[in-house]
Amino acid sequence: MFADDARPEQYRRFERPVPSWFSEAGLGIFIHWGAYSVPAWAEPIGELGTFDAEYWFAHNPYAEWYANTIRIEGSSAAQHHREVFGGAPYDDFLDAWKAEDFDPDDWASLFARAGARYVVPTTKHHDGICLWDAPGTEGRNTVARGPRRDLVGEIAAATRRAGLRFGTYYSGGLDWHVADFGPLTGTSFDGQRPKDEEYTRYANAHVRDLVERYAPDVLWNDIEWPDAGKPEGPLSLVGVLEDFYAAAPEGVVNDRFGATHWDFRTSEYQQGRDLESGAWENCRGIGYSFGYNQVEGPEHHLTGPGAVKHLLDVVSRGGNLLLDVGPTASGRIPELQRRCLEGLADWMAVNSAAVHGTTTVEESVARPSGQQGHDDDGSGATWVRWTRSGEVLNSVVDASGEVALPLTASAVELGSARLLDGTPVSAREGAGGEASVVVDVPQSAVQHGPAVVAFTLGARA
């Protein structure tokens, strides 16, 4: 990554404030759906950022990396592929992928109820298979084979019918069909990605086609951009970005084009989770994989309340959560993933004001406690996160009954404490002085996840 003042000169023309719709969104939905959804297999070892790279690649829990993992000698995926599919060519999965139960309006309705403000499906993952009739693919796409449908176009239309913004994920850095360097097994992608002019033309044509056809609000690239397209010249990414911003003046670009341009930074699962300044986004699956993994069980998935806590941990630090679903090959959202999103929808139906359009809270006013994914931080402290909506301070509390909040009492009007549905909440200064406020949280408030106790900020805040 590079600092703002280190961006190459030719890309500085794109610098501007991040559009308010993005900074106020809080939640987006990622969709990983591809030929890899047919085998739908990976080892559910855990989250990215908690393993060393060599072990990670050999036991990759990302089902969408199936085409890579099955080529790693001695891997469980390679053994599974031999035993179950007889070592069949990967492209057999494209022809077996039918999407017969795909209902894009059902998807979009669920995403909207869950509180998402934008949706970003994969249009081409590292396997090189395009989910629209992309130029130059010679029939290796979902219009000519497999589903025989423009999946990108159908998702885009349904997303916008639901009132949400639409984005596109595109793997600019890897394409194992166009340029196969053998399986990735370690930390460096540099020697494993195509960088030449021919691939640059191919990728440029794809992204320009996505922009022209679907006018996405988000360009979400992955794993770099071919080096031949970075300098000034006829193949430059500059021209692609000019087309994008002309079509979507309020569009945003992520930070995975390499040393070029970005509007927001990204982290993934636990990798890079220390982002807290500027515009940023954390992406992760509901389970340990982005693509559907039939091996995963309830113990590998976020529940509705767990998703709420992860979302609020991100939003309270100034970011957006891009939460991924991995549909089955038939086009259904798996039950455990749907259950998580429905739980999130139940919570957002009452408490979305603590997420959308909020800003961070200074620690001189209120302080978080409890680790992400845990009830406490080892000190017995209750899990609490904070957001601000204008003159309203929102405390998101994973507890009920009498709770001591790490809140400066003089920063708020104690008599204003209430749930977001207006139910009054008793609040008083804690025994430790004005460094804490004790509230009595009703039990019913935490039925679908953490409660939200709101306060009107005082003059001091």
Side-chain angles (χ1 to χ4, degrees):
M1 199 50 58
F2 51 93
D4 284 348
D5 58 2
R7 300 185 193 200
E9 185 61 35
Q10 65 267 32
Y11 293 97
R12 297 188 71 91
R13 72 190 73 179
F14 302 115
E15 295 177 14
R16 72 208 197 291
V18 174
S20 60
W21 76 262
F22 183 82
S23 59
E24 295 175 0
L27 178 66
I29 295 292
F30 222 177
I31 304 171
H32 277 64
W33 196 28
Y36 46 80
S37 304
V38 175
W41 196 94
E43 294 182 71
I45 60 172
E47 297 188 11
L48 179 68
T50 60
F51 298 89
D52 67 75
E54 186 173 348
Y55 183 85
W56 171 264
F57 281 104
H59 301 273
N60 200 327
Y62 287 180
E64 68 277 10
W65 276 70
Y66 189 79
N68 187 76
T69 316
I70 61 176
R71 294 181 294 159
I72 297 176
E73 186 176 352
S75 71
S76 296
Q79 179 180 348
H80 172 83
H81 189 61
R82 286 193 302 271
E83 293 176 353
V84 177
F85 300 106
Y90 180 80
D91 275 24
D92 284 5
F93 297 130
L94 171 56
D95 295 316
W97 176 23
K98 300 304 182 184
E100 64 272 20
D101 297 322
F102 174 42
D103 183 346
D105 287 302
D106 174 69
W107 289 12
S109 174
L110 176 59
F111 302 156
R113 292 199 311 277
R117 293 292 178 85
Y118 59 105
V119 176
V120 182
T122 50
T123 65
K124 184 198 81 166
H125 205 261
H126 313 325
D127 60 8
I129 295 172
C130 293
L131 277 65
W132 86 108
D133 55 337
T137 53
E138 298 178 349
R140 194 172 182 267
N141 60 65
T142 62
V143 175
R145 295 171 63 180
R148 298 189 180 275
R149 296 166 72 169
D150 177 1
L151 300 178
V152 176
E154 292 189 48
I155 295 171
T159 295
R160 287 174 167 138
R161 282 195 294 269
L164 309 179
R165 301 244 181 187
F166 175 74
T168 53
Y169 166 107
Y170 182 84
S171 175
L174 293 180
D175 190 314
W176 299 321
H177 180 73
V178 168
D180 185 2
F181 294 92
L184 279 156
T185 59
T187 58
S188 176
F189 290 85
D190 197 55
Q192 298 276 43
R193 60 183 181 86
K195 307 175 184 180
D196 56 274
E197 291 187 0
E198 182 178 1
Y199 178 66
T200 301
R201 288 190 185 91
Y202 185 76
N204 280 2
H206 282 185
V207 176
R208 282 195 158 106
D209 195 52
L210 289 169
V211 168
E212 182 177 346
R213 293 194 196 206
Y214 311 113
D217 297 295
V218 183
L219 277 189
W220 215 102
N221 187 64
D222 205 7
I223 309 183
E224 268 278 2
W225 193 252
D227 291 12
K230 292 177 181 177
E232 290 274 21
L235 296 179
S236 180
L237 176 63
V238 168
V240 177
L241 294 177
E242 286 176 340
D243 289 351
F244 169 66
Y245 287 116
E250 289 193 314
V252 290
V253 171
N254 77 338
D255 63 347
R256 300 192 183 191
F257 285 91
T260 56
H261 164 72
W262 51 266
D263 294 306
F264 65 95
R265 292 183 174 180
T266 58
S267 62
E268 189 168 323
Y269 283 91
Q270 300 303 318
Q271 185 169 281
R273 279 289 305 280
D274 56 349
L275 291 174
E276 291 196 1
S277 62
W280 61 275
E281 178 187 76
N282 174 245
C283 67
R284 62 156 295 156
I286 292 174
Y288 295 152
S289 175
F290 287 96
Y292 172 52
N293 181 7
Q294 61 181 312
V295 180
E296 290 186 336
E299 69 275 20
H300 308 121
H301 284 75
L302 289 173
T303 61
V308 170
K309 289 178 68 174
H310 190 92
L311 170 64
L312 266 296
D313 181 71
V314 170
V315 171
S316 68
R317 294 185 289 117
N320 288 345
L321 171 61
L322 189 62
L323 184 63
D324 179 81
V325 297
T328 67
S330 72
R332 292 186 179 273
I333 295 176
E335 179 57 31
L336 289 171
Q337 296 181 33
R338 181 175 285 273
R339 195 181 306 167
C340 173
L341 292 179
E342 292 287 7
L344 185 54
D346 288 343
W347 189 89
M348 292 288 276
V350 177
N351 299 303
S352 62
V355 174
H356 297 143
T358 60
T359 56
T360 59
V361 177
E362 294 182 3
E363 290 204 1
S364 61
V365 173
R367 298 154 300 285
S369 65
Q371 297 177 358
Q372 170 60 35
H374 300 276
D375 292 333
D376 60 59
D377 56 10
S379 64
T382 300
W383 188 96
V384 183
R385 294 295 186 271
W386 303 88
T387 64
R388 178 171 178 166
S389 309
E391 297 307 307
V392 176
L393 179 69
N394 304 300
S395 59
V396 187
V397 187
D398 191 27
S400 61
E402 193 171 272
V403 178
L405 301 177
L407 165 65
T408 302
S410 61
V412 298
E413 298 175 10
L414 294 179
S416 69
R418 72 274 186 189
L419 302 181
L420 290 183
D421 65 4
T423 303
V425 172
S426 172
R428 67 182 187 278
E429 190 173 302
E434 86 149 23
S436 71
V437 169
V438 176
V439 295
D440 190 4
V441 182
Q443 177 68 45
S444 61
V446 294
Q447 182 178 357
H448 299 294
V452 179
V453 178
F455 298 86
T456 300
L457 288 160
R460 188 178 156 179

